[in-house]
Amino acid sequence: MHEMSLLNDLEQRSGGQCELCASIDNLKIYKVPPVTNHGIDGSLLACAVCIAQIESRSLGTDTTDVNHWRCLNDSMWSEHDSVKVVAWRMLSRLKSEGWPKDLLDMMYLEDETLQWAKSTGEGLTESEKLIHRDVNGVILENGDSVVLIKDLKVKGSSLVAKQGTAIRRISLDRENSDFIEGKVGPTQIVIITKYVKKI
Ligand SMILES: [Zn+2]
């Protein structure tokens, strides 16, 4: 029921068209990651074409229909932050094409909105991106599982997390590639990446 009313609200807000490219076909709710707001402010109405391209993470310009995204020329001026964030991310992703970079330079996002836009790492070059690696140099991602390769004392408690303990669904520290977070029992702890091995 809740999703239905969200869809209705979005249809009303958008006038029944994709909030990115104005298509009226195959419209769906797109929740803008990381999803902290499940309401209308965290979502937009988008067509299947836009969503498919947004979600193919590793796309280079070879698999993206760059010209499709010329639609951002209009939609980047949306008054809705969720739309602005996605516009900013796609323009960042395509900025090597030239014109997206020009549009990006014209965009203005409030600090908080810009933080949201940047939080998925979109638009950063490989060297600017924080890359978390385990003890063997294997890249760690949010949601991965790891095991501890040594006993770790948990700061501020008497808990010792034993070597061999599996930690599921880790999250990466957004500011520092030396740290991840995960749960040992009920306790959320910060762990140094070089003391874990990806499983
Ligand atoms: Zn669209």
Side-chain angles (χ1 to χ4, degrees):
M1 272 327 280
H2 180 245
E3 293 287 295
M4 273 313 291
S5 71
L6 177 58
L7 189 59
N8 286 339
D9 290 349
L10 283 170
E11 277 170 351
Q12 210 142 46
R13 180 175 89 179
S14 65
Q17 56 182 36
C18 174
E19 290 184 276
L20 298 166
C21 76
S23 166
I24 54 168
D25 297 321
N26 293 315
L27 300 175
K28 283 189 262 188
I29 298 171
Y30 176 69
K31 292 190 176 178
V32 182
V35 181
T36 49
N37 180 336
H38 289 266
I40 192 165
D41 292 337
S43 309
L44 55 86
L45 193 66
C47 72
V49 175
C50 283
I51 293 178
Q53 296 212 12
I54 292 165
E55 288 185 341
S56 58
R57 283 288 299 175
S58 58
L59 48 85
T61 49
D62 48 337
T63 56
T64 315
D65 177 4
V66 179
N67 281 325
H68 173 79
W69 293 102
R70 295 217 179 240
C71 60
L72 297 175
N73 214 339
D74 294 321
S75 46
M76 63 183 259
W77 304 109
S78 167
E79 60 184 301
H80 306 295
D81 286 343
S82 54
V83 179
K84 286 194 251 185
V85 163
V86 173
W88 187 95
R89 287 179 186 168
M90 290 312 293
L91 291 172
S92 298
R93 197 187 289 185
L94 300 171
K95 67 183 173 192
S96 62
E97 295 290 316
W99 62 264
K101 173 83 171 62
D102 295 338
L103 294 186
L104 208 49
D105 289 344
M106 285 191 277
M107 264 190 111
Y108 175 76
L109 273 61
E110 299 285 343
D111 282 350
E112 207 178 312
T113 313
L114 188 60
Q115 286 298 107
W116 182 16
K118 286 181 172 174
S119 63
T120 53
E122 196 77 74
L124 297 180
T125 62
E126 282 307 310
S127 61
E128 290 169 320
K129 238 178 236 175
L130 283 182
I131 309 232
H132 295 66
R133 293 177 188 276
D134 77 356
V135 61
N136 296 321
V138 175
I139 293 177
L140 299 170
E141 313 237 30
N142 281 314
D144 279 350
S145 297
V146 298
V147 285
L148 299 180
I149 59 161
K150 58 176 279 182
D151 290 356
L152 296 179
K153 247 189 77 65
V154 178
K155 241 182 164 171
S157 83
S158 56
L159 184 70
V160 175
K162 289 281 183 203
Q163 179 181 355
T165 302
I167 298 172
R168 309 204 179 273
R169 299 175 55 86
I170 59 164
S171 52
L172 308 179
D173 186 309
R174 286 251 151 248
E175 320 257 271
N176 191 324
S177 60
D178 292 333
F179 298 114
I180 58 173
E181 285 185 34
K183 272 188 168 168
V184 175
T187 313
Q188 182 83 6
I189 63 170
V190 174
I191 310 154
I192 299 175
T193 50
K194 68 179 178 197
Y195 297 144
V196 304
K197 192 171 77 160
K198 182 170 163 164
I199 48 176

